[in-house]
């Protein structure tokens, strides 16, 4: 039996931040489609090169690229007990592919982190990420101890290319069109839990831990 926690929500709702913190306590790996794509981009793999044009514009990378990447990741021994999924699935086809991987008895929970667009645009414009290890910061809410440097690895903190207002708004539109329908998809299966994504991080984490109980 595997534990699968799917973090669903618009850009900036906190999927990566919450997923990283929960991963530590639940002892499950965080599988982030966005991070995997950015890693591929950095390494210059074929998938990364193909994905670049879509990511820069704030559009979704074609399903076949993302699905192959996630399938490979979930088949690794590190995911034997299950995984926390951040940013996947994002389309109906991706959700159906994931359903095909689940086995009878797997414990599947979906947490939808909810927040409104203006809040998210404002929050994302203050996000910084470590160039080295990928740890996520916020200039006001979750700042590093030393300005511009990662607390964990000392790497440089940078702004993501897709965190410009114009691109953030496009990502939000894409989210509404392509990903928001999954709220109904999982709602019908009674595995969906709605949690505010705009509250204090510790409150959000406590609420998810109460839901998950692993
Ligand atoms: P991806 O990297 O997945 O981006 P996203 O979904 O747009 O989500 P973000 O990473 O922007 O936000 P988040 O919800 O993780 O928020 P975070 O925790 O960082 O995808 C990027 C691109 O890759 C896509 O546009 C697409 O092109 C492609 N892609 C990825 N997956 C794909 C897929 N499945 N199919 C097709 N294409 C795909 O938090 C945001 C900020 O808020 C941070 O500064 C954080 O410190 C702060 N914060 C978060 N929570 C709190 C809190 N509770 N209190 C205070 N501050 C908080």
């Amino acid at each position: 039996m595997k534990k699968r926690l799917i973090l669903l929500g618009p850009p900036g709702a906190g999927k990566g931040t919450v997923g990283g913190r929960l991963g530590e306590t639940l002892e499950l790996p965080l599988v982030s489609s966005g991070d995997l794509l950015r890693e591929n981009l950095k390494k210059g793999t074929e998938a990364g090169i193909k994905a670049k044009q879509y990511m820069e514009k704030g559009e979704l990378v074609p399903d076949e690229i993302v699905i192959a990447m996630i399938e490979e990741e979930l088949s690794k021994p590190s995911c034997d007990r299950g995984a926390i999924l951040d940013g996947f699935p994002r389309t109906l086809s991706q959700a159906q592919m994931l359903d095909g991987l689940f086995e009878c008895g797997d414990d599947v929970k979906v947490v939808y982190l909810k927040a409104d667009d203006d809040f998210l645009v404002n929050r994302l414009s203050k996000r910084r990420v470590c160039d080295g290890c990928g740890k996520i910061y916020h200039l006001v809410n979750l700042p590093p101890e030393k300005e511009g440097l990662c607390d964990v690895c000392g790497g440089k903190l940078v702004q993501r290319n897709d965190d410009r207002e114009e691109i953030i708004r496009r990502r939000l539109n894409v989210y509404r069109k392509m990903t928001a329908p999954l709220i109904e998809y999982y709602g019908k299966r009674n595995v969906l839990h709605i949690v505010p994504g705009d509250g204090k991080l510790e409150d959000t984490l406590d609420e998810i831990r109460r839901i998950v109980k692993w």
Side-chain angles (χ1 to χ4, degrees), residues 9-18 33-35 37-38 54-55 58-61 66 86-90 94 123-124 126-128 136-138 141-142 160 162-163 171 197 199-201 204:
K15 304 181 293 296
T17 303
V18 163
S33 47
D35 286 350
L37 286 165
R38 280 183 288 277
Y54 300 96
M55 295 176 78
E59 287 166 11
L60 292 188
V61 174
V66 187
D86 155 19
F88 188 94
R90 237 168 163 111
Q94 293 180 13
R123 181 191 256 178
L124 283 176
K126 297 188 178 68
R127 170 167 63 185
R128 297 294 180 271
I136 307 163
Y137 295 86
H138 186 277
N141 299 329
L142 301 164
R160 262 171 52 175
D162 58 355
D163 275 349
R171 285 160 58 203
K200 283 197 185 128
L201 181 57
T204 307

Side-chain angles (χ1 to χ4, degrees), residues 74-125:
L74 291 180
S75 68
K76 290 184 179 167
S78 55
C79 293
D80 277 354
R81 287 184 59 245
I84 300 174
L85 286 152
D86 155 19
F88 188 94
R90 237 168 163 111
T91 63
L92 210 53
S93 313
Q94 293 180 13
Q96 285 160 347
M97 164 268 170
L98 200 58
D99 283 349
L101 293 184
F102 293 158
E103 286 168 20
C104 188
D106 280 356
D107 193 350
V108 181
K109 294 206 164 62
V110 182
V111 167
Y112 163 39
L113 291 168
K114 194 175 176 192
D116 72 44
D117 285 11
D118 287 337
F119 173 86
L120 294 169
V121 173
N122 186 11
R123 181 191 256 178
L124 283 176
S125 64

